Amino acid sequence: MCAMASPLDRIRVVLCATSHPGNIGATARAMQTMGLSQLVLVTPQRFPDADADAMAAGAGAILNAACVAASLDEALAGACLAIGFSARPREFAGTVLPVRAAMQEALRYAVSGDVALVFGTEMSGLSNAELSRCQVVATIPAVPDFGSLNLAAAVQVAAYELRVAAQGGTVWTAPAFAPATQEQIERLFEQGERALIAIDFLRPAQPKRLLPRLRRLFSRARLEKEEVNILRGILARIEERVQNGWRK
Amino acid sequence: MCAMASPLDRIRVVLCATSHPGNIGATARAMQTMGLSQLVLVTPQRFPDADADAMAAGAGAILNAACVAASLDEALAGACLAIGFSARPREFAGTVLPVRAAMQEALRYAVSGDVALVFGTEMSGLSNAELSRCQVVATIPAVPDFGSLNLAAAVQVAAYELRVAAQGGTVWTAPAFAPATQEQIERLFEQGERALIAIDFLRPAQPKRLLPRLRRLFSRARLEKEEVNILRGILARIEERVQNGWRK
């Protein structure tokens, strides 16, 4: 008899530049209590580490299987939805959801694709550059002037909401389309930048806020694979026209 | 002006015979993030303690104000409802509720009386004798064969559910931006169509599904005024290049 795969198996926890290895261990434990297993560490300050092992309690297997990534982009490879956690996503104008709704959304995507939950450093959370890689920001309701949960405590709340949602009896159906992966989207952005420079709309010396604005728009749209293909086709045509010269 | 009292002010957290002072500090922090302030420690092994202070981060005031009680009965004095937390309340014959429902119940009682949330030791949780002092047992959904949350993590989940319940009717709003009007969007689509024809990507005789697909993408994104302006700027540049001819 083979076990049914759970959508929870497709949800990874990504910790960015964690300072204290104890928090990595406590995160592994929080994940294990709720049935999550994939942990990705982006440039952790100390890992592996005895403090991580101590705080993991029975969740050593998650630590042992944890991947260390050199960048957030690497950590997001293959994911079709990245949800960043932020107490004050001031600069993020995409979809901001309370953690409960965000985890329901995560589960919906995880039926058919990989999902990443992204957490920043203990001191300052996610940077704007990191948030720009996320399509959704989840906020955990907290006291406004003391909103900073411990890192592993935030993971615990998120994992708890995932488990409640997974048990909900709701039948989770996949989105009726194929979401683009993070890499496909990044390649689109790279090509878009080249094309905007080629038509002399973007000046690398004075980029202003053009690219972040466009990134924000397309993150919000949660691009599908086919849409990325269409947009890249358009960009390729523009580049080709610029290359070959063209007069109507 | 005096602040309205919150029902959360009438809810105390009671930790029984805690072994590790770090967990007491982390509990204080978890409480503070969610607006709880009363902490009662029944025969803690070590308190006060530097590890507690370290883990409390900014929640030192809760630690300083914490009461140490000699027995659970003393800790429950004045409470009209005690809710015990247990992963496996086998011996408990009273009401067992998942933590979400239990915290809603706590809040209902806290409108008019004092409520205690009772947590057992790190190793074995609440004893049957301790559970017998509780009217309700709350369970946190977890993986059956690894159901043991860290103590402070369990407090965090409970306090989070309290806060969500207390905020009840809160309307979550994303940051306010100026959405584009329907007419602005239609003009964008018209210009986009012209530009796609100009670069010979769209062939009016064989339009296929290109325009409906793009329309769907941008509808989903819910364009803002400024984004429409940016996109129209890009399109205008493309049209201009096509018109004037251009060679890199």
Side-chain angles (χ1 to χ4, degrees), chain A residues 33 143 160-161 198 200 237 246, chain B residues 33 160-161 198 200 237 246:
Chain A
T33 59
V143 175
Y160 158 75
E161 283 288 7
D200 198 28
R237 181 62 53 103
W246 201 65
Chain B
T33 59
Y160 158 75
E161 282 288 8
D200 199 27
R237 181 63 52 106
W246 202 65

